[in-house]
């Protein structure tokens, strides 16, 4: 079932995110179909830019790993060798260095085109055949285009399905959820823009290669709570180790990410995104695992907004329950 729903869910997410762009273009007297097409082109350009950033990071890091790995083993031997000798433990460092270097060279590929192709296949096809992936991509674009064109008409049809006695309540909840998600999307875009500049400039000052790409990638990963910033931090530490080894650059990276988390967590997110979502960290992790299992990569992106909508529904249900005669008795 997940394979069937994922393309439609993906199209709906993208259409919802691009609808403000489409409406802005319509207000400038562009026909709706043309506005929808331009909005889709903009959205696809943003997605392609994110993939390009990811490939740029890999293209920068992989050659460094190849070049620095033998030196890592040498430094480890210098530090660990005497301790092992004291314990009368012999270790063939030469064989380890040769074998490990050979394996690293065989398995790491610094061909950026191959990496982009592999990433694209993994995200869109999730292990399916090339034809199935192509069909899914075309289906996503098709559904997204018609959702952008017929958004209002689609929700008018949905409203007709709802019983008359419940329409006011459903519309109120839908508007509440829409306001919540709109605030979330606008706020997150602003936070991502600010943190991209912060991480890009700060890592450049430290001297990290590919600092701009790494900074933008780290800021984009903010949309995946906890996991995203951990990934960005790990990549930055790895980049510093590859370039400078165990040095003051590591402390610099720690300081940059510590300050970045303080700035984002205590100032930007509360002010720009707001605390209306208010999910417990355990609930966030559970939502990430659940939606990721059901819908793959796009489910991870959907987890927090969907959980926020679920919270709106839960709060409404709880309010009705606590006001019911059965509860008050």
């Amino acid at each position: 079932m997940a394979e069937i729903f994922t393309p439609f869910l993906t199209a709906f997410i993208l259409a919802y995110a691009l609808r403000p762009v489409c409406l802005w273009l319509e207000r400038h007297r562009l026909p709706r179909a043309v506005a929808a097409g331009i909005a889709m082109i903009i959205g696809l350009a943003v997605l392609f830019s994110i993939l390009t950033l990811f490939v740029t990071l890999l293209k920068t890091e992989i050659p460094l790993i190849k070049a620095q790995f033998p030196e890592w083993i040498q430094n480890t031997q210098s530090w660990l060798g005497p301790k092992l000798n004291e314990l009368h433990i012999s270790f063939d460092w030469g064989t380890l260095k040769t074998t490990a270097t050979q394996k690293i060279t065989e398995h790491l590929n610094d061909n950026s085109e191959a990496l982009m192709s592999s990433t694209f296949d993994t995200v869109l096809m999730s292990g399916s055949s090339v034809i199935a992936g192509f069909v899914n991509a075309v289906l996503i674009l098709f559904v997204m285009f018609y959702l952008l064109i017929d958004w209002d008409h689609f929700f008018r049809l949905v409203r007709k399905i709802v019983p008359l006695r419940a329409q006011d309540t459903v519309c109120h909840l839908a508007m509440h959820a829409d306001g919540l998600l709109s605030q979330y999307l606008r706020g997150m875009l602003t936070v991502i823009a600010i943190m991209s500049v912060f991480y890009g400039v700060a890592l450049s000052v430290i001297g990290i290669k590919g600092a701009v790409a790494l900074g933008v990638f780290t800021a984009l990963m903010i949309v995946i709570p906890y996991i995203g910033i951990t990934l960005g931090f790990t990549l930055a530490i790895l980049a510093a180790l590859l370039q400078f080894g165990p040095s003051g650059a590591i402390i610099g990276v720690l300081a940059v990410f510590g300050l970045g988390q303080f700035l984002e967590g205590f100032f930007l997110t509360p002010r720009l995104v707001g605390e209306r979502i208010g999910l417990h960290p355990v609930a966030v992790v559970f939502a990430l695992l659940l939606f990721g299992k059901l819908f793959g990569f796009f489910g991870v992106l959907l987890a927090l907004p969907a959980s926020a909508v679920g919270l709106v529904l839960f709060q409404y249900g709880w309010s009705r329950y606590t006001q019911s005669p059965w509860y008050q008795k």
Side-chain angles (χ1 to χ4, degrees):
M1 292 295 290
E3 290 80 5
I4 297 174
F5 284 109
T6 297
F8 292 93
L9 181 61
T10 303
F12 184 84
I13 296 170
L14 294 174
Y16 183 85
L18 293 175
R19 179 162 164 73
V21 178
C22 187
L23 291 176
W24 183 84
L25 292 171
E26 285 185 44
R27 286 196 296 269
H28 287 73
R29 299 183 179 181
L30 284 176
R32 180 169 296 182
V34 176
I38 295 175
M40 287 177 60
I41 292 173
I42 294 173
L44 292 174
V46 171
L47 290 177
F48 181 77
S49 299
I50 294 172
L51 287 176
T52 303
L53 277 173
F54 182 67
V55 171
T56 301
L57 281 175
L58 292 178
K59 190 176 180 180
T60 301
E61 299 297 332
I62 287 175
L64 284 173
I65 293 174
K66 288 182 178 180
Q68 296 291 335
F69 194 79
E71 187 177 343
W72 279 5
I73 296 178
Q74 184 65 42
N75 293 336
T76 303
Q77 180 182 0
S78 301
W79 174 74
L80 189 60
K83 296 178 175 58
L84 293 177
N85 291 333
E86 292 176 2
L87 298 173
H88 305 287
I89 299 175
S90 60
F91 203 84
D92 190 351
W93 292 99
T95 302
L96 173 65
K97 183 176 181 179
T98 303
T99 304
T101 304
Q102 181 180 0
K103 293 294 183 182
I104 288 291
T105 303
E106 289 176 356
H107 289 286
L108 292 181
N109 180 10
D110 58 357
N111 187 312
S112 62
E113 290 79 9
L115 289 169
M116 179 174 288
S117 175
S118 176
T119 302
F120 188 76
D121 289 346
T122 302
V123 171
L124 290 184
M125 294 187 291
S126 302
S128 301
S129 66
V130 175
I131 296 177
F134 177 77
V135 170
N136 282 337
V138 172
L139 179 61
I140 289 171
L141 294 175
F142 177 81
V143 174
M144 180 169 58
F145 179 75
Y146 278 98
L147 277 175
L148 287 171
I149 292 177
D150 295 328
W151 186 272
D152 295 330
H153 179 66
F154 173 76
F155 280 97
R156 280 196 297 268
L157 291 176
V158 173
R159 180 171 182 172
K160 289 180 180 179
I161 299 173
V162 179
L164 292 176
R165 63 180 180 277
Q167 282 188 2
D168 290 341
T169 300
V170 172
C171 287
H172 172 73
L173 292 175
M175 290 177 63
H176 187 189
D178 180 64
L180 182 68
L181 291 178
S182 297
Q183 178 187 357
Y184 172 79
L185 288 175
R186 288 194 299 267
M188 284 306 299
L189 288 174
T190 306
V191 171
I192 287 171
I194 295 173
M195 297 309 297
S196 295
V197 174
F198 171 80
Y199 283 123
V201 172
L203 293 175
S204 296
V205 170
I206 295 174
I208 301 294
K209 292 182 180 179
V212 174
L214 182 57
V216 174
F217 180 79
T218 302
L220 286 170
M221 289 296 100
I222 291 174
V223 301
I224 307 177
Y226 310 111
I227 297 174
I229 191 63
T230 302
L231 178 60
F233 173 73
T234 303
L235 289 174
I237 289 291
L238 178 62
L241 281 171
L242 288 171
Q243 288 181 234
F244 307 107
S247 64
I250 305 299
I251 299 175
V253 171
L254 291 172
V256 166
F257 275 82
L259 180 60
Q261 279 297 285
F262 179 80
L263 178 66
E264 186 234 322
F266 288 94
F267 291 97
L268 295 180
T269 298
R271 292 176 181 272
L272 298 176
V273 179
E275 298 177 346
R276 292 173 59 189
I277 292 181
L279 290 170
H280 192 277
V282 175
V284 171
V285 173
F286 176 77
L288 288 170
L289 294 175
L290 176 63
F291 281 86
K293 180 67 175 178
L294 291 175
F295 301 107
F297 174 77
F298 292 103
V300 174
L301 301 181
L302 178 69
L304 192 57
S307 300
V309 174
L311 182 62
V312 170
L313 298 177
F314 175 79
Q315 289 173 343
Y316 172 76
W318 180 257
S319 174
R320 292 297 299 267
Y321 168 66
T322 54
Q323 295 173 10
S324 65
W326 186 85
Y327 175 82
Q328 294 180 357
K329 288 181 180 179

